Structures are given as structure tokens and as C-alpha cells.
Amino acid sequence: MLTRIVAILFPLFAITAAGFLVGRRMKPDLTHANRLNMDVFVPALVFAALANREFRITEYLPLLGATLAVVLASGGIAWLIARAIGVEAKTFVPPLMFNNCGNLGLPLAVLAFGELALMPAVVIFMVSNLLHFSFGAWLLDHRVRLLTIWRVPSVAATFAGLAVGLSGIAVWPPLLTAVKMLGDISIPLMLFALGVRLTDARITAIGLGVFAAVMRPLIGMVLAWGILQVVELPAQEQALLLVFGALPPAVLNYIFAERYRQEPEKVASLVLIGNLAAVLFLPLALALAL
């Protein structure tokens, strides 16, 4: 079991570490690469999975509901904790509510459970991504217009993929293959870019960062376990939901904090320490899930 867990996690951490080392030595500007990833490659990955003829969104409605419950309940608990410890909720809640289901979650799902796990993993990512760009943005700035969320490329790809899948339209296989090949670029690039971005993060609130690094996976796994006692899911989806609960804070939280000027250095500390702590918590989640 230990050997299997190491074999699953090593590629993820190796690529992230490579990005971190390159970031420290060469200080590359990945602004354009990250924009391409968010605007082209990730949307291609999402669309290819949702528009696949083998994908039936109705089969994943229980997983969709369970994921939604985990994300929203995590946010509610984080808000109560923030009130209790006297921390600004807008700083503390998003990193505990929105995890790294893109950079780490998608490649981890494929490595741990095989290619067939990509579709349910994309469903999980879809729910978290839609909530992050809508409710998450509104949480930081109530002036955000939620009706413009469809302009976000990954969100637009989600709607387009769902429309194609639900309508039963068969995408020309060579075209779908081309879109999938574009999507395949996103996963290693996300991991590498995560490593590079971690070199820019400044640790200014170590105590709060360590606390959040423990609470994020702990709350997520407990909620996932509790929901699984109520919602009946296939074995693979149960494992994916449990691992989803253990994922560290999304790097996007730091980007949003910068955009909306919500104590970005504190959020950077929460994200950095949380992702470092994933070395401890992801093996635990995999040991429980496998």
C-alpha cells in the first residue's frame, strides 16, 4: 500500500518540485503560459470530458450534490472558525472552501484510479470551479456581477460540454481527439506552474497558515465521510470524494486575493503552507480511499 501511494504521489510532487526549482533558479515569467492554460488548455480538458459520448451527467448527479455539500459546508464551518478566532472571514474562508482540485485533484485522480476516473473528477472540478468563480468572487466583492460568469473560459467550456453531452450530439472523433490533446497539456503545466508560483509566495502568518493547513483537509475529509453515510455513491466516486476533501487550498485563492486586495500575503501563506502540508495529508487520504 505504501509503495502504491508513493508511486501515485511521486509524479505530482516531482513535477511541482521541478517547477519550484526552476522558479528559484531561472525565475521564468509564466504569465502567458498560465493564461493559456486557464483560457485554452483547461477549458479543452473540461469540454473533452463532458462532450464525450460515454459521459452521462445524469449518472453523476449524486456526486455533483455531494461535492456541492462538501464545498458549501466547508465554507460554513470556516466562517464559524474565522468568527471564533477573530480572523477576517474574507481572508480565511475561501482557502478552506475552495481546494486545489485542478492542479492536484485532476492528475491525482488519474494516477490513483486510472483514466476512467477523469470524468467524475471533472464533475468535482466543475462544481468547485463554478462556485469559485461565482460565489467565491462575490464573497470577496459583493459588486461582482454573477451573470457574467459565463465569460470565464473554463465555465463557458463547462456549459458547452454539458450542452453537447445532454443533446446527444456526436462530436467528430478527430476533432474531439484534437481538443483532448490540447486538454492533456493542462495537467503537467498546472503542476509545474504551481511549483513556480510557490516561489513567489511570502510566509507572513505562519501560525494561521499551519492552522489552516490542518483544518482544510481535516474538515474536508470529515465532511466527505459524513456525506458518504447519507449519499450512496459507487466505490470509485466515494474514493474520489474523500481525496477531494483532503486537497490543499487552491492557488486561485491567492490570485483572487490579489485581484480584490484581500490581504494577499496572508492568503499566500495559507496556500503555500497548505500545499506543503499536502505531503502529509494526501497519503493519509489515499490510504483510506484505496
Side-chain angles (χ1 to χ4, degrees):
M1 177 67 74
L2 178 61
T3 303
R4 185 180 178 189
I5 291 173
V6 171
I8 291 169
L9 294 178
F10 179 80
L12 305 181
F13 290 123
I15 297 174
T16 304
F20 183 82
L21 292 174
V22 171
R24 290 289 298 271
R25 292 177 63 88
M26 301 177 63
K27 302 188 182 304
D29 184 0
L30 294 185
T31 303
H32 297 297
N34 287 331
R35 184 169 182 177
L36 280 171
N37 209 16
M38 295 302 295
D39 292 353
V40 179
F41 304 139
V42 171
L45 178 73
V46 172
F47 178 83
L50 297 180
N52 193 313
R53 292 184 64 182
E54 298 178 1
F55 179 82
R56 299 289 183 271
I57 186 62
T58 53
E59 297 177 4
Y60 295 105
L61 290 180
L63 177 63
L64 191 153
T67 304
L68 183 64
V70 170
V71 175
L72 293 179
S74 295
I77 294 173
W79 182 80
L80 292 174
I81 294 174
R83 291 286 300 271
I85 64 177
V87 177
E88 175 64 46
K90 290 183 179 181
T91 301
F92 190 76
V93 172
L96 267 72
M97 187 174 183
F98 302 108
N99 63 25
N100 217 339
C101 58
N103 296 68
L104 287 178
L106 292 176
L108 179 57
V110 174
L111 287 170
F113 307 106
E115 286 292 335
L116 292 178
L118 180 60
M119 284 190 240
V122 166
V123 170
I124 292 174
F125 170 75
M126 175 185 72
V127 173
S128 182
N129 195 49
L130 288 175
L131 280 175
H132 204 165
F133 278 100
S134 55
F135 179 74
W138 176 84
L139 191 64
L140 296 177
D141 186 354
H142 291 353
R143 294 170 298 179
V144 170
R145 296 180 61 188
L146 299 183
L147 293 178
T148 62
I149 185 178
W150 63 270
R151 296 179 182 175
V152 178
S154 58
V155 174
T158 298
F159 292 149
L162 286 174
V164 171
L166 290 173
S167 66
I169 297 174
V171 180
W172 187 40
L175 174 60
L176 191 61
T177 299
V179 175
K180 185 179 183 301
M181 289 175 68
L182 280 175
D184 289 341
I185 299 173
S186 66
I187 291 178
L189 182 55
M190 280 191 290
L191 292 171
F192 188 85
L194 171 62
V196 173
R197 183 168 289 278
L198 289 179
T199 62
D200 296 330
R202 297 179 180 179
I203 301 178
T204 59
I206 297 178
L208 182 63
V210 172
F211 178 68
V214 174
M215 296 306 296
R216 160 89 280 284
L218 182 62
I219 291 172
M221 284 192 290
V222 169
L223 285 173
W225 178 85
I227 290 169
L228 288 175
Q229 307 310 304
V230 180
V231 180
E232 186 175 347
L233 296 176
Q236 185 182 77
E237 293 177 23
Q238 291 182 29
L240 284 171
L241 188 68
L242 189 61
V243 171
F244 169 74
L247 291 170
V251 178
L252 192 59
N253 289 302
Y254 172 55
I255 298 173
F256 271 31
E258 280 189 319
R259 179 185 300 176
Y260 297 110
R261 300 177 182 179
Q262 183 57 47
E263 298 185 293
E265 291 193 354
K266 277 189 178 180
V267 176
S269 298
L270 268 63
V271 171
L272 175 58
I273 297 174
N275 278 271
L276 293 175
V279 177
L280 301 175
F281 287 102
L282 288 183
L284 174 60
L286 286 173
L288 295 173
L290 293 175

